[in-house]
Amino acid sequence: MFYEPSKGHGLPHDPFKAIVAPRPIGWISSLGADGSLNLAPYSFFNALGTHPHLVMFSSEGQKDSVSFAAETREFVANLVSRDLAEKMNASAVDAPRGVSEFDYAGLTPVPSSLVAPPRVGEALAALECKVTDILEPKGLDGRPAGNVIVFGEVVGVHIDDAALTDGLFDIVKAGTVARLGYMDYTAVSETFQMRRPRWQE
């Protein structure tokens, strides 16, 4: 089949998110200027590069994570492992500003080293970030798309030693969770290696 998104797909549900998958989950903890604490998962999240280390998360609409990151210019991206999937999902609740999703989901806020927002104490890894840019992209019609993208430079990295194998972060041991389409998720249970070819070889 072929369809144009602007004209509809004719399927029971939009397949876009199922096609662009799996997507890593940025479990974003942030702190408002008034001290309000927020924790929310974002599946439009990824790394952008390593010189410097940059990550981004995109919010469909102006949510607390975006507002808080704009106010304090900091956030933490926490790793979701399989044993935390249900708590991650609980933290997606549409709680009003001022209600801590840490408390709602039964998670432990642990002080970060270089930024004010706490990290998830149960997470096997966390990236402390300082905001570098916040953008609102436009569609082809030139109008705002309704998304807000927050970019951050990673200034500190936490790794639980339990997730390391021979000095490497073991994504299988962590059972890192990713978002698929519809209501679906997946957890990493196996990996394989391939070396990039070099022309001179």
Side-chain angles (χ1 to χ4, degrees), residues 71-155:
E71 290 172 13
T72 64
R73 310 299 292 182
E74 296 178 337
F75 64 91
V76 179
N78 301 276
L79 183 80
V80 180
S81 51
R82 179 63 189 90
D83 63 321
L84 294 175
E86 286 72 24
K87 292 192 174 188
M88 174 276 296
N89 191 51
S91 73
V93 66
D94 55 344
R97 181 182 175 121
V99 173
S100 170
E101 290 82 1
F102 277 92
D103 293 339
Y104 182 83
L107 294 160
T108 310
V110 173
S112 296
S113 298
L114 300 175
V115 299
R119 58 192 176 91
V120 175
E122 293 81 1
L124 292 174
L127 309 176
E128 297 186 11
C129 303
K130 289 185 178 288
V131 173
T132 59
D133 209 352
I134 298 177
L135 299 179
E136 297 185 49
K138 298 178 177 63
L140 286 173
D141 58 7
R143 294 185 298 182
N147 300 60
V148 184
I149 306 174
V150 178
F151 298 87
E153 181 171 341
V154 179
V155 296

Side-chain angles (χ1 to χ4, degrees), residues 10-190:
L11 298 171
H13 300 284
D14 187 351
F16 175 71
K17 292 180 182 179
I19 295 170
V20 185
R23 300 186 307 282
I25 299 170
W27 203 7
I28 307 299
S29 50
S30 56
L31 198 63
D34 62 358
S36 296
L37 184 57
N38 185 261
L39 177 66
Y42 288 84
S43 68
F44 293 124
F45 165 83
N46 221 316
L48 298 173
T50 56
H51 301 290
H53 290 70
L54 294 172
V55 296
M56 57 72 65
F57 71 92
S58 178
S59 174
E60 294 190 299
Q62 186 81 24
K63 298 177 182 175
D64 283 349
S65 299
V66 172
S67 298
F68 289 4
E71 290 172 13
T72 64
R73 310 299 292 182
E74 296 178 337
F75 64 91
V76 179
N78 301 276
L79 183 80
V80 180
S81 51
R82 179 63 189 90
D83 63 321
L84 294 175
E86 286 72 24
K87 292 192 174 188
M88 174 276 296
N89 191 51
S91 73
V93 66
D94 55 344
R97 181 182 175 121
V99 173
S100 170
E101 290 82 1
F102 277 92
D103 293 339
Y104 182 83
L107 294 160
T108 310
V110 173
S112 296
S113 298
L114 300 175
V115 299
R119 58 192 176 91
V120 175
E122 293 81 1
L124 292 174
L127 309 176
E128 297 186 11
C129 303
K130 289 185 178 288
V131 173
T132 59
D133 209 352
I134 298 177
L135 299 179
E136 297 185 49
K138 298 178 177 63
L140 286 173
D141 58 7
R143 294 185 298 182
N147 300 60
V148 184
I149 306 174
V150 178
F151 298 87
E153 181 171 341
V154 179
V155 296
V157 179
H158 295 270
I159 302 175
D160 190 316
D161 290 344
L164 294 174
T165 299
D166 298 327
L168 301 177
F169 185 80
D170 193 326
I171 195 169
V172 174
K173 185 185 290 183
T176 301
V177 174
R179 191 71 166 92
L180 305 176
Y182 317 116
M183 297 292 117
D184 299 335
Y185 293 82
T186 189
V188 177
S189 58
E190 64 176 335

Side-chain angles (χ1 to χ4, degrees), residues 197-201:
R198 294 186 179 278
W199 185 258
Q200 54 268 37
E201 295 175 1

